[in-house]
């Protein structure tokens, strides 16, 4: 590049990366899959491009094409230029001079991105020396500096640790440190926060902003979380069926979407900043098979606005004004439409018959009292000796009433899953007590009694594919619990067909195998199986975390309808607190095996009292650029302490943002005494913090309130 273009390149007047008419095809036994179809975009220094869309839309394939990491069998055409230099056609050796130094990538799974047999310092040093002439000592000093930049505590010591000695969030920080090691001009982040807790996600997004500021890089953020996009992106590109269907500034696209697919994605997201419990907008159907190029708009089979002209060739991505573009022939009909329910049919959830019955008058479905689960810590090669306990669950008290949904929330390692396992086990040896429909597990003497009680509690797993036996048909999967309890013949078949209809599946598909269904349909099959024995309580372990937002909305609506129709109760575990607010009646916040706050969901979300609850809520992304970019977050330092090394006194003392602001006498109390759950001034709201009334915590705005004054309750429906 000449001097003038170099100056333009560094100041942001010229794109650092340009992609033109990018096409990617993969060969398969059925034919050629056209995964990316004519993508165009420019990336400017210091700016963030968010790429969103459902699984299979071509987001990750586009990023891998830019990095030159697609397999040799992929056929790539078009143009990818970096600083004016064409990258397509370069050999792997030639591309390696740019990969890692000019263009870096942060992958979704940090554990598979790091080599387990090398220390994290060695892996950062390798990245530095591969693209520079640093001596080992200088490279090591730079590695320590990079670890400090991304927020690794005690970097001089941790530089010699191996990846397995770090938590998931810390490993992702190491991957970011490797990515920014050579001050790249482009950073591609492919779902960098998907598998992380909300508090760790907030930390990682903060680290990404620091990394971008340190390097001045342009960033491509690939994610399915529109709240993350709202907070970090400058421009957004929505992809569907391998091509861009809408592009524009983040404010324009979120407030004035002009493509039904974009509007549907926004309507499918539960909002943590709104108390209203309205049905979400599901986008019915599945993305098209790209073995053959669509002959019309690829979204038309799922679009409620589709008309005959939509089938006459694919619409072009036309300019609507400024940088806003849309690939929809009916974009003009969407002017002023900001409510997705005005376009998409939204199933109305009937009112639950028990809604008018006060909670204290409903029958008790589950009662958990003083539940403990301690795992012995053993030491010794041959003669094992107990040297301590790991207190995974340390005194849990909760109850669930008929027709009620209680959510358990907290970071990974807080004891949620262990609590579920103890409840499902129904063991008379349980340390504590568990009562189901008034029957205590302590009173069970025979295996048949445990079996009879267990039919009232069923579990829906996080991964529907891992929970369903691929060798069984759908009929066999749903009928299995019926056979186990002696239901056979015509009654069994009738029940299975009724369950398929209940969860919104076609009874004619009973002879298909799980692999022939989409992810959302497989989760519906899992729910149908759980409902087979008419249980009184469903335990839902992250039931929607593995699904796209469009499919997630349908499953959440289904769970709402089942609760209204059947009066069933839920124990719901999730890390997505927006989903928790939408579906739950009550919420319990767990930390290191204990409940630190519990109460009505709106009460806890609107008036959080414990510092940990406030930190969780402040970390939730909100799909509103104006709110998301103006809010203040409470960033927790470090990770959840190990149960092997619990703090003395309050369990939260080592991470509490309030502690440093308290007088020394109060700090000593937090370090020496363990607070218990105490009633606050509102009904059914308890929390475990000595200083929840402190003026430091009295600030509002943990979750900014959405301004709904300009949002009509019934937006006009396009004709």
């Amino acid at each position: 590049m000449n001097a003038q273009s170099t100056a333009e390149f560094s100041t942001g007047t010229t794109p650092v990366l340009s992609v033109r008419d990018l096409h990617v095809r993969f060969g398969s036994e059925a034919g050629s899959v056209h995964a990316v179809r004519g993508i165009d975009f420019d990336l400017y220094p210091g700016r963030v491009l968010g790429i969103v869309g459902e699984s299979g839309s071509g987001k990750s394939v586009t990023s891998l094409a830019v990095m030159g990491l697609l397999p040799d069998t992929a056929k790539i055409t078009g143009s990818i230029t970096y600083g004016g230099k064409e990258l397509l056609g370069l050999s792997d050796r030639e591309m390696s001079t740019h990969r890692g130094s000019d263009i870096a990538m942060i992958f979704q799974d940090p554990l598979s991105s790091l080599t387990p047999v090398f220390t994290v310092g060695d892996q950062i040093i390798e990245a530095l020396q591969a693209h520079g002439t640093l001596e080992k000592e200088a490279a090591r000093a730079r590695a320590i500096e990079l670890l400090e930049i991304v927020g690794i505590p005690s970097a001089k010591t941790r530089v010699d640790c191996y990846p397995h000695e770090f938590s998931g969030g810390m490993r992702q920080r190491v991957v970011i440190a490797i990515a920014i090691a050579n001050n790249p001009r482009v950073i591609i982040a492919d779902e960098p926060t998907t598998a992380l807790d909300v508090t760790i996600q907030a930390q990682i997004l903060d680290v990404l902003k620091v990394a971008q500021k340190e390097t001045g890089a342009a960033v491509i953020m690939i994610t399915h979380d529109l709240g993350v996009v709202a907070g970090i992106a400058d421009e957004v590109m929505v992809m569907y069926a391998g091509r861009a269907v809408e592009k524009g500034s983040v404010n324009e696209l979120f407030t004035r979407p002009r493509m039904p697919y974009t509007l549907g994605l926004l309507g499918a997201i539960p909002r943590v900043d709104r108390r209203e419990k309205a049905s979400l907008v599901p986008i019915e159907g599945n993305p098209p098979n790209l073995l053959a190029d669509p002959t019309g708009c690829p979204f038309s089979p799922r679009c409620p606005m589709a008309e005959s002209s939509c089938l006459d060739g694919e619409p072009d991505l036309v300019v609507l004004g400024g940088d806003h573009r849309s690939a929809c022939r009916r974009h003009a009909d969407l002017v002023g439409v900001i409510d997705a329910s005005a376009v998409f049919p939204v199933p109305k959830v009937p009112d639950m018959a028990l809604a008018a019955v006060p909670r204290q008058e409903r029958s008790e479905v589950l009662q958990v009292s003083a539940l403990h689960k301690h795992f012995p810590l053993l030491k010794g090669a041959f003669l094992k000796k107990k040297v301590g306990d790991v207190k995974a669950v340390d005194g849990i008290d909760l109850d669930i009433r008929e027709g009620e949904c209680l959510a358990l929330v907290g970071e990974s390692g807080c004891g949620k899953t262990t609590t579920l396992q103890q409840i499902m086990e129904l063991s008379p040896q349980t340390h504590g007590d568990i009562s189901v429909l008034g029957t205590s597990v302590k009173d069970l003497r025979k295996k048949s009694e445990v079996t009879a009680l267990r039919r009232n509690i069923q579990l829906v797993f996080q991964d529907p594919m891992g929970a369903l036996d691929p060798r069984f048909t759908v009929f066999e999967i749903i009928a299995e619990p019926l056979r186990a309890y002696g239901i056979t013949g015509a009654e069994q078949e009738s029940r299975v067909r009724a369950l398929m209809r209940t969860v919104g599946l076609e009874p004619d598909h009973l002879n298909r195998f799980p692999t022939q269904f989409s992810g959302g349909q497989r989760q519906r099959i899992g729910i149908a199986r759980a409902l087979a024995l008419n249980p009184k309580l469903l335990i839902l372990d992250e039931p929607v975390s593995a699904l796209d937002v469009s499919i997630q909305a349908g499953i959440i609506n289904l769970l709402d309808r089942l609760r209204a129709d059947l009066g069933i109760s839920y124990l719901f575990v999730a890390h997505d607190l927006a989903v928790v607010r939408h579906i739950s009646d009550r919420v319990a916040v767990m930390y290191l095996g204990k409940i630190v706050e519990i109460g009505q969901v709106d009460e806890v979300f609107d008036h959080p009292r414990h510092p940990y609850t406030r930190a969780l809520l402040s970390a939730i992304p909100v799909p509103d650029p104006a709110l998301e970019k103006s809010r203040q977050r409470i960033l927790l330092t470090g990770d959840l302490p190990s149960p092997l090394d619990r703090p003395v006194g309050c369990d939260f003392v080592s991470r509490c943002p309030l502690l440093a602001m308290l007088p020394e006498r109060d700090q000593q109390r937090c370090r020496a005494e363990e607070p218990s759950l105490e009633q606050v001034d509102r009904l059914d709201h308890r929390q475990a913090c000595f200083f929840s009334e402190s003026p430091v915590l009295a600030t509002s705005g943990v979750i900014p309130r959405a301004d709904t004054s300009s949002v009509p309750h019934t937006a006009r429906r396009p004709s």
Side-chain angles (χ1 to χ4, degrees), residues 453-481:
L453 191 62
R454 183 169 282 129
R455 71 179 297 168
N456 290 299
I457 304 180
Q458 295 295 313
L459 180 62
V460 177
F461 295 93
Q462 176 177 356
D463 179 11
M465 194 59 199
L468 304 178
D469 194 324
R471 302 168 299 174
F472 287 2
T473 64
V474 171
F475 179 86
E476 292 171 323
I477 288 170
I478 299 176
E480 186 177 22

Side-chain angles (χ1 to χ4, degrees), residues 426 434-441 444 447-458 485:
L426 294 179
I434 299 172
S435 296
V436 179
L437 301 177
T439 301
S440 170
V441 297
L444 303 178
K447 184 177 180 181
S448 59
E449 294 176 336
V450 177
T451 302
L453 191 62
R454 183 169 282 129
R455 71 179 297 168
N456 290 299
I457 304 180
Q458 295 295 313
Y485 281 84

Side-chain angles (χ1 to χ4, degrees), residues 59 104 135 163 169 192 209 221 231-232 308 330 372 395 399 417-418 604 660 694 704:
K59 308 185 300 295
E135 296 294 333
K209 293 175 182 177
M221 171 63 76
I232 199 171
S308 57
R330 299 196 60 187
H372 291 74
D399 67 294
T417 300
T418 305
V604 172
S694 170

